[in-house]
Structures are given as C-alpha cells and as structure tokens.
C-alpha cells in the first residue's frame, strides 16, 4: 500500500513539474519552472492599479489563460494618491497589501521604490525595455503615453492650432477675447499626474513663465479628470486643453469624440510610462513575478497596445498603439520621463507646497 502511495505521489509531483515546465516561456531559463510552481502554491496575485477594472479585463483574462490556477485580485477602482496611501497604511498596520503596484503616478511610484518598498527581481523581459524604462531590477515602465494639447476642431481654426508652447502662449495672448475661460488643464494641487507634468515642464526650459502668464490671462480652468476635460473640449465648453494624457485623447478622438483635435507638441512632448514594481512585502512574491513578466512580455505588451490602447513601450511588439509608431510622429521631440527615484524629489512636502504656490501665484497674478 505504501508503495502504491509513493508511486501516486511521484506521479503527481512529476505531473506538476511537467505542467510548470510547459508554462516556462520560450527563452526563459529552465529554473523558471520553480517560480511557476511556487506561484501555483501561492494561488493568488494582488495588484493595485489606477487602470480601471473594466479597462484591465483583457490583461487579467490573458494572465488567467496562462496560469488558470492563480487567482488575480485586481483593484483598479482608486486614484494614484489613494492606492499609495492604502499601500502604506496597510503596511503600517501589518496587514496584507498589494503584491504588485502599477500606476501612472510615476513620482509616487518611485518614491515608494526609493523608500525601500520594492523587491529586486531580474525579470527575463527587462532587457527588452529601453534603458530609461527600468530601474535596478526594481521598477519598470510599461507604457509610452504622450502628454498633449487638445482643441475643438469646429471652433479653433486650422491656422490657430498651436503646435508648440510658444505658439500656445501667443494664441492665448493675442486672442484673449476668444479663449478667456475656455482653456482647461489639471489642478496640480489635486491631481498627482498634473503635478508631475508641471514639474517636468519646469525642468524642460525657459518657456514656462510666458506660458503661465498666458494661461493666467486666459483664466485657465483647473480641475477635472482627463475624461471630463476631453468631453468638454469636444462639446465646445472648452476650446483648448493643456498637458492632457494623450493615449486617451488619441483613441477617443478616433472613436467617439469627432470634434476633438490632438497636438503632439513640436518643442517637446513629455512621455509618461506607467510604473510597475513588486512589493518587498508581497505575500505572493512568485505570483507577482509571473504578473510582472507577463505585463512586460510581448504577449502582455500586445494586449496593452491593442486591447488597452495605452501604447506598448517595447519596440518589438506588433500592435495598433506602440512606442515605435508614436516615435515616428514625435521624432526628437519625445521626452520620456525616466524611471528614476530622482523624480520623487519634487514630492518633498515643503518643496511641493512651494512649487504649487508659485505655479498658482503666477496664474493668479496674470489673471488680475
């Protein structure tokens, strides 16, 4: 009886091992089978993200197809500030939290990495990313999303459309009567991504003071999310939008917002990349590795570029929306925001308060 039990156990273990090897992607080391098997035993991966649950469904389903025995607990119902606060709050209380953090708030993500919350993991997929999109086997950029201007095509004449920041400042100054109260942008005191864009604007050069003056004189409307601003520009409630998340703008202008025009600025186009890291405190560290590798793989990146429509960061992916196709349009004007803890420096509380006060002060003074 003991012999039969031993044989049955050996057969079960062999079957598990074969199953694990069957799921080792091509080009991965054979030892990856141990990661797959350990992840199966963990049985779950918990992901905190700002990409909504509905939008992320193709990614989640793709992962489940690869690893049906691993449950994906995906939470995309909160903003970047909320998931950061939740993550830190749960850790402080000693509660289980995210295995993987994935967010467009690059500075908040890199703050968490800087502060020691990211595990080190040499992903087999990392070498396929551009150098600026990875940080010391601890954080990876997953998308290539431009930051754009938008305008209402029916109310802004073609010869009025600003193609760079100097032209935008000139238009708002010379046509103050037309554009007063009709320009939108993020409120940088409330929107983390808006603050990130503003800080990056300041780092790019000397045009910002003149642009802030022009925006202030135009009584720029601060507030609202990307979707709201796009809809209001399309409807004509606003005529222009500044520092808008371009992946959403480009896709929606093709599909549902016919009056929405999109400009990739010629002076420079900031490029956002959603940052992912594996938590150092992960309860399911091996399942987290599988999720990270999947998201960075050609398969995951193709889903990002086709079904999610957020522009795949890898250059070797054949999808509708990719970094390679976008670079053909932007050229040397592309300014990817690097995956680097240095971008988190601007989150120092004192520095952040001073920056926001100066930014809003410049707008208010120009608007008087």
């Amino acid at each position: 009886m003991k012999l039969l039990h031993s044989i049955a156990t050996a057969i079960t273990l062999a079957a598990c091992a074969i199953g694990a090897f069957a799921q080792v992607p091509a080009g991965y080391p054979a030892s990856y089978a141990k990661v797959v098997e350990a992840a199966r035993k963990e049985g779950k991966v918990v992901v905190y993200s700002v990409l909504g649950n509905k939008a992320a469904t193709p990614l989640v389903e793709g992962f489940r197809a690869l690893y049906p025995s691993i449950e994906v607990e995906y939470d995309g119902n909160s903003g970047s500030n909320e998931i950061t606060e939740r993550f830190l709050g749960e850790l402080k209380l000693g509660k289980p939290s995210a295995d993987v953090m994935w967010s467009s708030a690059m500075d908040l993500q890199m703050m968490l990495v800087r502060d020691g919350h990211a595990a080190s993991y040499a992903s087999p997929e990392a070498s396929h990313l551009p150098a600026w999109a990875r940080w010391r086997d601890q954080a990876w950029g997953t998308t290539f999303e431009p930051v754009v201007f938008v305008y209402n095509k029916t109310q802004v004449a073609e010869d009025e459309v600003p193609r760079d920041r100097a032209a935008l400042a000139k238009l708002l100054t010379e046509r103050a009567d037309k554009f007063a109260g009709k320009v939108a942008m993020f409120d940088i005191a409330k929107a983390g991504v808006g603050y990130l864009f503003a800080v990056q604007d300041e780092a790019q050069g000397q045009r910002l003071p003149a642009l802030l003056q022009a925006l202030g004189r135009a009584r720029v409307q601060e507030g609202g999310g990307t979707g709201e601003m796009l809809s209001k520009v399309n409807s004509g409630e606003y005529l222009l939008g500044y520092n808008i998340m371009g992946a959403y703008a480009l896709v929606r202008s093709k599909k549902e917002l016919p009056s929405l025009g999109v400009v990739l600025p010629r002076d420079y186009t900031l490029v956002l990349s959603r940052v992912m890291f594996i938590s150092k405190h992960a309860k399911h560290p091996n399942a987290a590795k599988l999720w990270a590798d999947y998201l960075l793989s050609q398969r995951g990146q193709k889903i990002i570029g086709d079904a999610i429509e957020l522009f795949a960061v890898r250059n070797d992916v054949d999808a509708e929306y990719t970094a390679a196709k976008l670079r053909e349009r932007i050229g040397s004007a592309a300014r990817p925001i690097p995956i680097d803890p240095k971008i988190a420096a601007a989150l120092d509380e004192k520095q952040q308060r001073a920056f926001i006060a100066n930014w809003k002060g410049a707008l208010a003074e120009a608007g008087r």
Side-chain angles (χ1 to χ4, degrees):
M1 200 70 176
K2 287 184 179 179
L3 178 60
L4 290 175
H5 177 73
S6 298
I7 292 172
T9 300
I11 291 172
T12 300
L13 291 173
C16 289
I18 291 170
F21 274 107
Q23 293 185 62
V24 174
Y28 279 37
S31 60
Y32 197 76
K34 295 179 181 179
V35 178
V36 176
E37 186 56 30
R40 279 178 171 170
K41 290 178 180 177
E42 292 167 358
K44 180 195 286 190
V45 60
V46 180
V47 181
Y48 289 179
S49 174
V50 298
L51 180 67
N53 289 12
K54 183 178 179 181
T57 296
L59 277 174
V60 173
E61 290 181 346
F63 182 83
R64 285 174 175 155
L66 281 176
Y67 306 107
S69 62
I70 301 173
E71 177 189 352
V72 180
E73 188 175 305
Y74 182 94
D75 188 344
N77 291 322
S78 303
S80 56
N81 290 333
E82 288 79 9
I83 67 168
T84 302
E85 291 170 4
R86 178 183 175 188
F87 177 73
L88 292 174
E90 289 168 342
L91 294 182
K92 187 175 181 179
L93 294 172
K95 293 183 176 181
S97 191
D99 300 311
V100 177
M101 291 284 284
W102 185 36
S103 173
S104 54
M106 299 177 68
D107 45 2
L108 285 173
Q109 289 286 88
M110 295 313 297
M111 176 192 74
L112 295 174
V113 173
R114 180 199 66 191
D115 293 348
H117 294 293
S120 291
Y121 172 55
S123 170
E125 301 289 354
S127 62
H128 299 288
L129 300 176
W132 62 264
R134 56 185 190 266
W135 172 259
R136 295 184 179 177
D137 291 334
Q138 292 185 331
W140 308 276
T142 60
T143 59
F144 193 87
E145 302 175 50
V147 182
V148 302
F149 307 164
V150 294
Y151 64 97
N152 183 287
K153 292 193 291 188
T154 65
Q155 298 189 48
V156 179
E158 184 61 29
D159 60 358
E160 290 180 315
V161 176
R163 302 297 175 183
D164 57 32
R165 286 163 182 79
L168 176 58
K170 185 171 185 282
L171 176 68
L172 297 181
T173 300
E174 294 180 351
R175 295 301 314 273
D177 55 331
K178 178 175 180 177
F179 291 97
K182 296 285 188 178
V183 184
M185 70 178 185
F186 285 112
D187 182 342
I188 70 167
K190 297 178 180 178
V193 73
Y195 178 72
L196 172 66
F197 296 161
V199 170
Q200 293 298 314
D201 268 344
E202 185 180 61
Q204 289 299 322
Q206 304 300 315
R207 295 188 180 92
L208 189 58
L211 179 57
L212 285 177
Q213 280 193 342
L215 288 167
R217 284 193 296 267
R219 302 198 306 277
V220 63
Q221 303 298 297
E222 300 174 271
T226 299
E228 179 184 345
M229 288 191 284
L230 294 179
S231 294
K232 287 185 176 182
V233 171
N234 181 72
S235 71
E237 182 175 344
Y238 298 146
L239 300 183
L240 291 167
Y242 177 69
N243 269 2
I244 306 296
M245 295 183 72
Y248 295 125
L250 288 165
V251 171
R252 293 190 67 188
S253 68
K254 287 183 179 180
K255 293 186 174 182
E256 58 187 277
L257 301 178
S259 296
L260 186 72
V262 182
V263 174
L264 299 165
R266 291 173 181 168
D267 48 348
Y268 64 88
T269 297
L270 294 174
V271 177
L272 169 84
S273 190
R274 292 171 192 249
V275 176
M276 174 178 63
F277 70 84
I278 297 171
S279 171
K280 189 176 180 179
H281 322 281
K283 187 177 179 181
H284 314 99
N286 292 287
K289 291 174 183 178
L290 297 190
W291 176 270
D293 292 333
Y294 161 72
L295 211 64
L296 298 176
S297 70
Q298 281 187 315
R299 180 172 183 158
Q301 287 282 297
K302 183 170 177 58
I303 293 172
I304 285 175
D306 281 336
I308 312 296
E309 302 174 319
L310 284 179
F311 292 92
V313 70
R314 284 179 58 150
N315 288 322
D316 59 348
V317 173
D318 181 17
E320 183 175 359
Y321 296 97
T322 66
K325 291 179 180 178
L326 194 59
R327 277 191 176 279
E328 290 178 3
R329 297 176 60 181
I330 301 175
S332 61
R335 298 287 189 279
I337 303 171
I339 310 297
D340 191 309
K342 290 178 183 177
I343 64 173
L347 293 174
D348 171 81
E349 188 175 350
K350 184 177 179 181
Q351 183 176 339
Q352 188 171 18
R353 281 201 308 266
F355 184 94
I356 292 171
N358 290 337
W359 178 281
K360 286 185 171 287
L363 292 175
E365 183 177 349
R368 289 180 187 138

